[in-house]
Amino acid sequence: MTLYYRDDAVQVTSESIRAGGHVIALSDVTFVWHARGQKTLAVRGRVLGRGVLVLLLSLPPLIAVVCVLSLAWSAQDRGNWKLALIILAACAVGALVSLPFLEIPLGWLDRSYERGSHVHELWVQHHGREDLLVRTPDALRFGQIYRAVQRAVEQQGGPLMSNRREAAALAGLLAVAGVTHLVRPGFYDPIVPGALPGPARFWTYASGVAELAVAAAVANPATRRAGGRAAAALFVAVLPANVKMAVDWRHRRPAKRAIAYGRVPMQVPLIWWALRVARAGR
């Protein structure tokens, strides 16, 4: 058994995930995703404190610039640079002396930025159920846990990796179809049903853009469920064009006729594939 991450509340191994009172076998996990939760009072206070500290740290340099310009203007007006130089030297020495003391607020500011400004949630889907495993405002800790889960899933394989590969393949198919609609519209223009209003070229380009948009939705885990459903709807929507192609190509050579006839029943497994990806999504 390989240990990928462990703290007081979370343990990720090559066999299971233990968090939030749950023990989930990796072989049962079908989907993993992260989301932003509602900000807590502590997170809001940290963000507010960070803003106040940045403001306080920015004021001294701004005041120093104004003072330097004022001294330079006054010295030029009076023709006495000696006093101005003495004041500037004293200010420079004071700034150098105060530099070591800046490590404390700058260190706190650095740690505050590392922890982030949001509440992060880690969700998993298993046995058809969705469970919240981790909820933390610490972005650094959350990132370590999420990367550990990803490594464990990649090493274990199983249904989750299979679902990811299916989604990636579907997104790739849609992307290729979308690009060909935009690059070679002349091939698709003749099969656009005549009942549609407007020029055929418009519907060809619209189909290409829709396929690219749906491909992006399927590729993104956060929108995969909606993207899978949209892909199924898209495959249903292009069915009349495939039927028209089969009718128009009925007198062509046997090879082309077989391609045209095959596109019609091919929509059924494509629709099933899209719905399968949608069910495996969030």
Side-chain angles (χ1 to χ4, degrees), residues 167-265:
L170 179 60
L173 174 66
L174 289 166
V176 170
V179 170
T180 56
H181 274 75
L182 300 179
V183 175
R184 296 187 58 192
F187 175 81
Y188 297 96
D189 288 345
I191 65 174
V192 174
L196 293 175
R201 181 61 54 90
F202 167 79
W203 292 104
T204 299
Y205 283 150
S207 299
V209 172
E211 285 166 337
L212 291 175
V214 173
V218 171
N220 185 2
T223 57
R224 185 163 294 159
R225 173 173 291 181
R229 292 171 178 171
L234 186 62
F235 290 140
V236 173
V238 300
L239 184 58
N242 292 332
V243 172
K244 185 176 186 300
M245 181 179 182
V247 173
D248 292 345
W249 286 27
R250 65 186 183 278
H251 299 305
R252 298 202 178 188
R253 293 196 304 270
K256 289 188 175 182
R257 195 163 61 241
I259 294 174
Y261 290 166
R263 286 171 63 95
V264 177

Side-chain angles (χ1 to χ4, degrees), residues 67-76 78-94:
C67 291
V68 168
L69 293 176
S70 299
L71 284 173
W73 182 271
S74 177
Q76 184 180 12
R78 297 179 180 180
N80 183 9
W81 288 90
K82 184 176 181 179
L83 179 60
L85 292 175
I86 292 174
I87 295 175
L88 289 176
C91 292
V93 171

